[in-house]
Amino acid sequence: MRKERVGFAVCGSFCTHEKALKGLEALTKVYETVIPIVSEISAFTDTRFGTSEDLLERLEDLTGQDVLLDIPSVEPIGPKGLLDVLVIAPATGNTIAKLAAGIADTSVTMAAKSHLRNGRPVVLAVSSNDGLAAGARNIGELLVRRNYYFVPFGQDNAAQKPSSLVADFSKLPETVDAALRGEQIQPILLR
């Protein structure tokens, strides 16, 4: 098992939680320490895709760690150097916009801000219905910033949702591995 410490932050793209959890499961088979983090919306909202209680329980079962779910619990990530890499999966359009604008008002965006202070990698697994519309400029902003790495992504349903983008969550382990080496996995855009 690899010794690098991975943070795994889940945002509110509820329809992709199952794919994200499969990606998390793959990471727990490679990395000894994976610390789960959830956005407040994910921590306290039940949807047609499942309950928040079930999500938190699954995260704890997969990682063997308590879930960090508020700003005070994630703020020490940077000062204490708790992580070697932070994964945000799914990374919603809202979270990507906040990261692009330097806003840290949720547990996930604060985790990223705190982690980035150490110059360590943040891996983003995009899941956004407006990734090729209003969200495109924010994705572009982060593509050119140091320490941000993207899980390869593409349109998930071009006919029905032409602006929607989603990451290939099966590529999480190799994207994290490359990010830890300071490299962006290629190709970023999927066909």
Side-chain angles (χ1 to χ4, degrees):
M1 296 281 287
R2 291 181 60 165
K3 301 294 183 193
E4 295 98 332
R5 296 156 304 175
V6 178
F8 193 90
V10 177
C11 293
S13 178
F14 299 100
C15 61
T16 55
H17 280 183
E18 196 57 43
K19 291 177 186 176
L21 290 171
K22 286 180 183 173
L24 169 60
E25 186 174 6
L27 289 172
T28 63
K29 292 177 181 176
V30 177
Y31 297 93
E32 190 174 288
T33 303
V34 181
I35 298 171
I37 301 163
V38 295
S39 66
E40 289 84 346
I41 198 76
S42 295
F44 302 111
T45 304
D46 296 340
T47 73
R48 64 187 170 104
F49 299 103
T51 68
S52 57
E53 185 177 321
D54 286 344
L55 174 64
L56 298 177
E57 186 176 304
R58 286 186 67 195
L59 289 166
E60 289 182 355
D61 286 348
L62 284 169
T63 64
Q65 303 280 335
D66 291 336
V67 178
L68 306 180
L69 47 74
D70 58 21
I71 288 175
S73 67
V74 299
E75 187 277 331
I77 287 172
K80 293 185 178 182
L82 297 179
L83 303 176
D84 295 298
V85 61
L86 173 64
V87 174
I88 303 176
T92 62
N94 187 52
T95 295
I96 290 169
K98 289 180 179 193
L99 293 172
I103 297 170
D105 65 351
T106 69
S107 53
V108 173
T109 56
M110 177 56 79
K113 176 186 177 185
S114 187
H115 177 68
L116 284 165
R117 73 182 278 179
N118 298 322
R120 294 180 179 164
V122 173
V123 171
L124 301 173
V126 175
S127 181
S128 174
N129 283 326
D130 73 345
L132 289 177
R137 71 180 304 164
N138 300 316
I139 292 169
E141 176 69 30
L142 295 180
L143 279 168
V144 298
R145 283 212 198 145
R146 191 168 181 240
N147 297 319
Y148 282 101
Y149 301 88
F150 283 78
V151 177
F153 61 89
Q155 290 177 281
D156 61 323
N157 185 346
Q160 299 293 318
K161 303 185 301 181
S163 296
S164 185
L165 296 174
V166 69
D168 179 350
F169 290 90
S170 71
K171 296 190 180 298
L172 265 168
E174 61 191 295
T175 305
V176 169
D177 180 55
L180 284 165
R181 295 190 314 269
E183 299 172 8
Q184 171 61 58
I185 187 174
Q186 295 292 338
I188 296 174
L189 296 177
L190 301 175
R191 293 180 184 205

